[in-house]
């Protein structure tokens, strides 16, 4: 058989690899990971996402609330594109986007804020790698910790640790600031001075130099520019 004929037969027998779908869904640990093909148009991703969420897989993706990670490969999604993905997934009523993961250049991870309904009771520990928002009280003996900011929309009477991975720009804020201990990055601070019972102290804690300072909550907005949740926090690897 001539080399030309062999090449022709090999070309004929070669099978085209199946095309990768715009969206692939896998279960990883205790969450779902949506892998978005970084080589196709974003409109195709939205169309495939809509088909999966409303087609044959709709029943599997509904029910109890489940955390979702969105992996975008070498693609960096714009804020508008992220919002579109969030909206599509939120329509199921059970899928909650916790983070977007990209490996373009260096690995970038943005964690969605975690919302916790209190009270956080004595002995409870709540930890999150992004910003943490507690709606309710943190009681004495309770611990809340985040690699980003900690916001307590209630009374903070327990222990709070912000910037747990070393972020000194993180803050701790509460509608009633009465912690037993606060910590930002590697700096620990004792409780504020004696508090008057029945008076709510709308305050926040931040690092100034090498000390933790406490100021009125209204001053937070002017102290630093607003940042996205998760900026400056440490990312974690996902199984792929």
């Amino acid at each position: 058989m001539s080399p030309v004929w062999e090449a022709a037969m090999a070309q004929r027998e070669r099978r085209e690899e199946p095309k990768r779908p715009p969206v692939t869904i896998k279960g990883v640990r205790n969450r779902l990971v949506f892998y978005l093909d970084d080589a196709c148009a974003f409109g195709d991703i939205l169309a495939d996402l809509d088909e999966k969420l409303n087609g044959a897989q709709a029943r599997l993706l509904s029910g109890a609330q489940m955390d979702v990670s969105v992996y975008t490969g070498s693609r960096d999604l714009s804020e508008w594109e992220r919002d579109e993905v969030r909206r599509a997934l939120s329509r199921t009523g059970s899928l909650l986007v916790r983070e977007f993961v990209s490996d373009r250049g260096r690995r970038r991870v943005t964690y969605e804020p975690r919302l916790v309904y209190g009270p956080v009771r004595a002995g409870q520990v709540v930890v999150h790698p992004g910003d943490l928002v507690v709606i309710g009280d943190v009681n004495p003996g309770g611990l809340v910790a985040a690699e980003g900011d900690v916001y307590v929309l209630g009374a903070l009477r327990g222990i709070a640790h912000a910037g747990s991975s070393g972020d000194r720009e993180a803050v701790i804020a509460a509608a009633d600031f009465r912690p037993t201990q606060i910590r930002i990055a590697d700096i620990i601070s004792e409780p504020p001075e004696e508090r008057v019972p029945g008076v709510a102290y709308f305050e926040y804690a931040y690092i100034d130099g090498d000390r933790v300072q406490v100021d009125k909550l209204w001053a937070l907005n002017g102290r630093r520019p607003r940042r996205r949740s998760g900026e400056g926090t440490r990312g974690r690897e996902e199984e792929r």
Side-chain angles (χ1 to χ4, degrees):
M1 184 179 294
S2 70
V4 174
W5 178 254
E6 288 179 352
M9 292 299 294
Q11 178 69 24
R12 181 179 178 182
E13 293 175 358
R14 185 178 299 131
R15 296 291 183 266
E16 183 179 355
E17 294 184 1
K19 186 177 180 181
R20 185 170 59 179
V23 180
T24 303
I25 307 172
K26 293 183 179 180
V28 177
R29 296 174 186 162
N30 60 343
R31 67 177 55 201
L32 290 177
V33 180
F34 282 67
Y35 295 91
L36 309 187
D37 184 2
D38 53 14
C40 70
F42 184 70
D44 294 337
I45 289 176
L46 289 181
D48 191 43
L49 194 58
D50 183 70
E51 181 179 344
K52 284 181 167 62
L53 296 176
N54 297 287
Q57 294 178 291
R59 182 176 296 180
L60 298 175
L61 299 175
S62 61
Q65 181 175 298
M66 182 167 291
D67 291 344
V68 170
S69 297
V70 180
Y71 175 70
T72 63
S74 61
R75 183 200 303 264
D76 279 334
L77 297 183
S78 66
E79 281 303 310
W80 177 84
E81 290 171 331
R82 291 187 183 199
D83 287 342
E84 288 298 304
V85 173
R86 289 190 191 99
R87 272 193 285 269
L89 293 173
S90 66
R91 283 195 288 268
T92 64
S94 60
L95 300 180
L96 181 61
V97 177
R98 290 295 188 187
E99 60 183 352
F100 287 87
V101 182
S102 166
D103 55 14
R104 184 172 182 175
R106 64 183 180 86
R107 188 173 186 83
R108 291 177 52 210
V109 180
T110 300
Y111 292 96
E112 298 299 302
R114 180 182 178 186
L115 194 63
V116 175
Y117 291 92
V120 177
R121 297 182 172 86
Q124 281 188 283
V125 177
V126 180
V127 180
H128 183 57
D131 291 345
L132 177 63
V133 181
V134 179
I135 299 180
D137 297 341
V138 178
N139 292 340
L143 168 64
V144 289
E147 293 188 17
D149 300 333
V150 173
Y151 301 97
V152 179
L153 306 184
L156 172 57
R157 298 190 180 95
I159 301 173
H161 185 185
S164 59
S165 64
D167 182 9
R168 289 192 164 205
E169 293 296 315
V171 301
I172 300 170
D176 192 4
F177 200 85
R178 303 170 181 267
T180 53
Q181 185 188 89
I182 53 176
R183 179 173 179 174
I184 300 177
D186 57 341
I187 299 181
I188 300 175
S189 177
E190 295 303 315
E193 67 277 2
E194 189 67 27
R195 300 296 188 168
V196 177
V199 177
Y201 291 86
F202 293 82
E203 294 175 332
Y204 79 103
Y206 63 96
I207 288 181
D208 184 13
D210 287 323
R211 297 185 59 187
V212 173
Q213 303 287 353
V214 177
D215 200 352
K216 300 300 182 183
L217 194 56
W218 57 262
L220 174 60
N221 191 48
R223 177 169 179 80
R224 64 173 188 181
R226 184 177 300 174
R227 65 178 183 179
R228 295 178 187 171
S229 172
E231 285 187 359
T233 64
R234 181 184 61 211
R236 66 176 184 272
E237 293 288 332
E238 290 287 350
E239 294 179 358
R240 295 201 292 276

